[in-house]
């Protein structure tokens, strides 16, 4: 299966193929070409998962759908297959495998899938005693055995249900409990993937400790050889690094299109089509909204010229206004509006902190004199009004109108 075919395959098919290679490599030794092919497929899966945005750091395991739970295992499968690859520089292989294991454990910790005792041990680091390490290994071994037995139980239960379903289908074509059976299958599938992730975590912790010890041993051997003055060995290492650097620069132009970050998929409909295999990741997609057409298709898209055509075009029209844009277009429009609003606020803040604003408004030369004149005039007017009120008390002009005046 070439690279072009892998890009055309949907994510579920790629994951199933990589899982088969991983299971085969775990049960027995496989050819190096098969292991490398599995690593390549898993890297394509990682790229597609990143483009589709299947996981978010703000989610937990309860927020992830059952169909997407299995993709959490992609870094773990990649770490195990990478560790089985034979290279001249074994330390680099160990570092790459450890990086993927740490990525898998960190993501599971974010999704609240790591047990509490493992989190406490990781926070303590290497300061635990031998008794604590032994107790931790025993607890991890018990969790691993419990997960394996749980998976075996789920597998047997599924096989029994399959046999009973076949027998029921032969006896009667319609069964009343089909919906309940499908619900049970969905719950069992979710429970099976969560148990598989728990089992993978136990193996990941053990494998990470083993790889760390192997890296320490190999590093000590290399340092010992360098300290003993084996110049030929060090010269071989330098020649190998020089050759790798030259080949990297020689093939930089060829690898440029693989090192560029891929544009994320922002359309939910297109992402669902990619997951289900109806579209390819490499296809360009624009957020074009296709409005719903109501009425005769021959009259909706044209301008009616007669009253008969106008009435015919309005047949079966909805009682509400049709949308003018898709959800993705509305989101992009709101994002552009927010960017403009932020730019405008930045400009306003710059103007507010500028020297012109801090200096304050400049007053005219005669403005103070005009304000003093206005204050004097207002004061004279108030005094005249008070004098008039003293000379003319309230109700003084109406004495002749009153009966007793």
């Amino acid at each position: 299966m070439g690279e072009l075919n892998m890009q055309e395959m949907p994510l579920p098919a790629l994951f199933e193929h990589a899982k088969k290679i991983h299971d085969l490599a775990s049960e027995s030794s496989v050819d190096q070409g098969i292991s490398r092919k599995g690593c390549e497929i898993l890297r394509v899966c990682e790229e597609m998962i990143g483009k589709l945005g299947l996981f978010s750091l703000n989610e937990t395991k309860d927020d992830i759908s059952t169909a997407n739970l299995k993709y959490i295992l992609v870094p773990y499968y990649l770490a195990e297959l990478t560790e089985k690859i034979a290279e001249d520089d074994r330390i680099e292989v160990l570092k790459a495998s450890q990086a993927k294991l740490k990525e898998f454990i960190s993501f599971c910790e974010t999704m609240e899938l790591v047990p509490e005792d493992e989190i406490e041990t990781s926070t303590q680091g290497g300061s635990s005693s031998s008794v604590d390490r032994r107790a931790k290994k025993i607890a991890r071994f018990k969790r691993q055995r419990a997960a394996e037995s749980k998976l075996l139980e789920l597998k047997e239960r599924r096989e029994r249900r399959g046999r009973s379903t076949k027998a029921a289908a032969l006896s009667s074509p319609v069964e009343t409990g089909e919906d309940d059976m499908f619900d049970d299958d969905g719950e069992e599938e979710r429970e099976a993937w969560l148990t598989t992730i728990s089992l993978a975590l136990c193996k990941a912790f053990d494998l990470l400790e083993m790889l760390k010890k192997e890296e320490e041993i190999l590093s000590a051997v290399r340092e010992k050889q360098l300290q003993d003055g084996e110049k030929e060995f060090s010269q071989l290492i330098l020649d190998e690094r020089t050759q790798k650097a030259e080949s990297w620069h020689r093939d930089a132009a060829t690898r440029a299109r693989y090192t560029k970050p891929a544009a994320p998929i922002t359309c939910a409909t297109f992402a669902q089509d990619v997951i289900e295999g109806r579209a390819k990741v490499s296809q360009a997609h624009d957020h074009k909204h296709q409005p719903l057409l109501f009425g005769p298709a021959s009259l909706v898209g044209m301008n009616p010229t007669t009253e008969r055509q106008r009435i015919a075009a309005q047949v079966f029209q909805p009682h509400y206004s049709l949308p003018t844009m898709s959800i993705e277009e509305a989101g992009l429009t709101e994002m552009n509006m927010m960017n403009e609003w932020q730019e405008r606020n930045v400009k306003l803040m710059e103007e507010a902190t500028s020297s012109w604003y801090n200096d304050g408004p400049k007053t005219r030369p005669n403005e103070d004199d005009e304000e003093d004149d206005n204050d004097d005039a207002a004061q004279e007017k108030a005094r005249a009004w008070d004098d008039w009120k003293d000379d003319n008390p309230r109700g003084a002009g109406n004495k002749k109108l009153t009966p007793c005046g």
Side-chain angles (χ1 to χ4, degrees), residues 45-270:
C45 289
E46 279 190 329
E47 182 181 357
M48 294 183 68
I49 290 171
K51 286 183 178 180
L52 297 173
L54 298 183
F55 304 118
S56 173
L57 297 179
N58 298 325
E59 297 177 341
T60 60
K61 60 182 179 181
D62 298 329
D63 300 325
I64 302 176
S65 62
T66 304
N68 296 337
L69 274 177
K70 55 187 176 182
Y71 301 126
I72 298 178
L73 295 167
V74 170
Y76 170 71
Y77 289 163
L78 183 56
E80 283 205 332
L81 287 179
T82 303
E83 187 269 333
K84 296 180 182 300
I85 293 177
E87 291 285 351
D88 295 335
D89 193 354
R90 176 64 178 171
I91 295 180
E92 295 298 327
V93 175
L94 296 177
K95 289 181 178 179
S97 181
Q98 289 181 58
K100 286 301 175 182
L101 287 175
K102 291 177 181 178
E103 178 184 347
F104 169 67
I105 294 172
S106 176
F107 184 76
C108 289
E109 185 176 352
T110 305
M111 295 293 110
E112 300 179 358
L113 291 168
V114 182
E116 292 294 335
D117 54 348
E118 294 288 357
I119 297 177
E120 293 176 359
T121 305
S122 61
T123 54
Q124 292 175 0
S127 60
S128 59
S129 61
S130 59
V131 178
D132 296 335
R133 289 195 297 269
R134 182 175 180 276
K136 180 187 64 176
K137 287 183 176 294
I138 292 174
R140 187 183 300 163
F141 178 77
K142 290 181 179 179
R143 286 197 304 271
Q144 182 174 348
R145 287 299 185 187
E148 291 175 351
S149 61
K150 187 66 174 296
L151 287 176
L152 183 60
E153 179 185 354
L154 291 173
K155 182 179 179 181
E156 293 176 353
R157 191 187 308 171
R158 189 179 303 172
E159 291 177 353
R160 288 196 302 268
R161 181 179 288 108
R163 291 193 296 268
S164 61
T165 303
K166 290 180 181 179
L170 293 175
S171 60
S172 59
V174 179
E175 292 290 341
T176 58
E178 280 190 21
D179 296 338
D180 297 337
M181 181 187 65
F182 291 142
D183 293 340
D184 293 341
D185 289 344
E187 293 177 359
E188 284 188 2
E189 182 182 2
R190 186 176 186 84
E191 187 178 2
W193 282 119
L194 289 175
T195 308
T196 305
I197 294 172
S198 177
L199 178 61
L201 278 171
C202 296
K203 294 181 178 180
F205 281 113
D206 292 335
L207 181 60
L208 185 61
E209 292 179 359
M210 184 186 69
L211 294 181
K212 286 182 180 179
K213 292 180 180 179
E214 185 178 356
E215 183 184 359
E216 292 175 358
I217 295 173
L218 292 178
S219 300
V221 171
R222 177 173 294 183
E223 291 179 1
K224 179 65 175 176
Q225 290 175 345
L226 293 176
Q227 289 176 0
D228 291 342
E230 294 185 359
K231 297 181 180 180
E232 296 180 359
F233 181 76
S234 59
Q235 187 63 34
L236 288 175
I237 294 177
L238 291 176
D239 294 340
E240 183 181 358
R241 290 180 179 177
T242 304
Q243 185 180 1
K244 285 184 179 180
E246 291 177 353
S247 63
W248 188 90
H249 288 289
R250 193 184 306 112
D251 302 336
T254 308
R255 295 195 308 270
R257 59 192 183 97
Y258 299 106
T259 56
K260 292 180 180 178
I265 298 176
T266 57
C267 181
T269 306
F270 182 63

Side-chain angles (χ1 to χ4, degrees), residues 30-48:
V30 295
D31 187 32
Q32 289 292 314
I34 297 177
S35 299
R36 295 178 187 274
K37 178 62 69 176
C39 293
E40 185 180 356
I41 296 173
L42 288 170
R43 292 191 186 96
V44 175
C45 289
E46 279 190 329
E47 182 181 357
M48 294 183 68

